[in-house]
Amino acid sequence: LHLSSFRMSCPCSLFRVVFLSLFFVFFDSPLLVFNFRGLLSLLRKLKRSDDEARILVLGLDNAGKTTILKKLSKESIDTIMPTQGFNIKSMVSDGFKLNMWDIGGQKSIRPYWRNYFDNTDALVYVVDSADQERFLECQTELAKLVAEDKMAGIPVLIFANKQDLLSSKPAEEVAEELNDTLEGRDFHVQAASAKKDEGLSEGLEWLVQTMNQSKKATK
Ligand code: G3D
Ligand code: MG
């Protein structure tokens, strides 16, 4: 009886061990293209040249992040859907290759922002200046971001977006209200209207100049 139950259970548990090992190897391997987590971390770890910068574009949902990136890369803004995951746009400015990561800002996916913090060179934070109701939420999310160790010392560009709307808070007011949150670091609040393509290239220029200066300072 003993022997037969051994024979019955042994191949079964052996099979389970082999199956589970293959399962973990498959789903935990950073090299498999179908493994999303692995692919993401692989993308993050790819070696960059000195003239390449990784920029995170964050902000509450509906702030205008995707519209800004589309305008900066001269794409049409006719068909923009809420971003569920992330978009990457690469552009060249003043000899810098900017890899801009636009990550969805819905409340339910904000906890995943931290998965993108590694090796970030700059933060672009987009504010919907007309969204008075969620301004405090927008400020709180920014405060959480800049308190992160991986964000320490990196320049922050704020786009006070939607300045074309009459109900928008002027950029100076946005700057005043975010001043305490950003105190002690390189930051710039840029008045912008993604819809009208105003203020976007000026903001990017500041960012590239600031990154250039810090690159020279660390050489
Ligand atoms: P997000 O990526 O931050 O979530 P989106 O934001 O780029 O998807 O934009 C959200 C909405 O804001 C879009 O409107 C978009 O047209 C609008 N928007 C973006 N920038 C501006 C701006 O500068 N001015 C105005 N007036 N609207 C802007 P819809 O209607 O498509 O949801
Ligand atoms: Mg979006």
Side-chain angles (χ1 to χ4, degrees), residues 13 15 27 38 57 77 86 95 97 101 113 115 128 138 151 160 203:
S13 53
F15 175 76
F27 285 97
V57 182
I77 58 165
F86 64 88
K97 183 176 178 207
W101 291 64
W113 282 357
N115 293 337
D128 178 346
C138 160
M151 295 288 172

Side-chain angles (χ1 to χ4, degrees), residues 35-205:
N35 177 344
F36 177 72
R37 244 180 341 135
L39 179 62
L40 194 62
S41 79
L42 199 69
L43 277 172
R44 279 196 307 250
K45 284 173 190 159
L46 282 178
K47 181 139 178 48
R48 293 167 296 161
S49 79
D50 276 357
D51 295 331
E52 213 169 312
R54 178 185 150 84
I55 297 169
L56 283 189
V57 182
L58 299 175
L60 301 191
D61 47 302
N62 205 50
K65 302 178 289 297
T66 307
T67 312
I68 288 177
L69 289 196
K70 288 216 168 207
K71 275 287 184 186
L72 281 169
S73 42
K74 312 281 179 233
E75 286 175 36
S76 153
I77 58 165
D78 292 343
T79 54
I80 293 183
M81 303 290 288
T83 311
Q84 295 302 333
F86 64 88
N87 304 307
I88 312 174
K89 287 254 176 274
S90 290
M91 50 196 87
V92 176
S93 175
D94 202 14
F96 249 105
K97 183 176 178 207
L98 309 175
N99 298 317
M100 320 267 288
W101 291 64
D102 160 25
I103 300 160
Q106 294 94 323
K107 202 169 193 163
S108 58
I109 56 179
R110 278 177 225 156
Y112 299 104
W113 282 357
R114 57 174 46 252
N115 293 337
Y116 298 84
F117 291 166
D118 281 344
N119 306 319
T120 299
D121 297 300
L123 171 67
V124 173
Y125 194 77
V126 183
V127 176
D128 178 346
S129 319
D131 188 355
Q132 313 278 357
E133 226 170 82
R134 293 200 298 165
F135 193 79
L136 187 61
E137 190 178 338
C138 160
Q139 193 172 12
T140 310
E141 291 297 343
L142 176 64
K144 278 196 238 167
L145 279 173
V146 295
E148 289 282 344
D149 283 350
K150 288 176 180 166
M151 295 288 172
I154 63 166
V156 179
L157 167 65
I158 308 281
F159 276 125
N161 194 31
K162 305 200 185 181
Q163 290 296 318
D164 56 292
L165 297 176
L166 284 176
S167 55
S168 274
K169 217 185 257 251
E172 297 73 30
E173 247 176 72
V174 172
E176 232 167 76
E177 295 191 32
L178 297 182
N179 201 43
D180 288 350
T181 309
L182 294 165
E183 208 180 4
R185 64 163 68 225
D186 263 340
F187 77 96
H188 174 67
V189 179
Q190 175 67 51
S193 163
K195 214 161 207 177
K196 294 189 159 182
D197 198 358
E198 287 172 0
L200 304 184
S201 44
E202 290 85 341
L204 214 57
E205 230 166 79

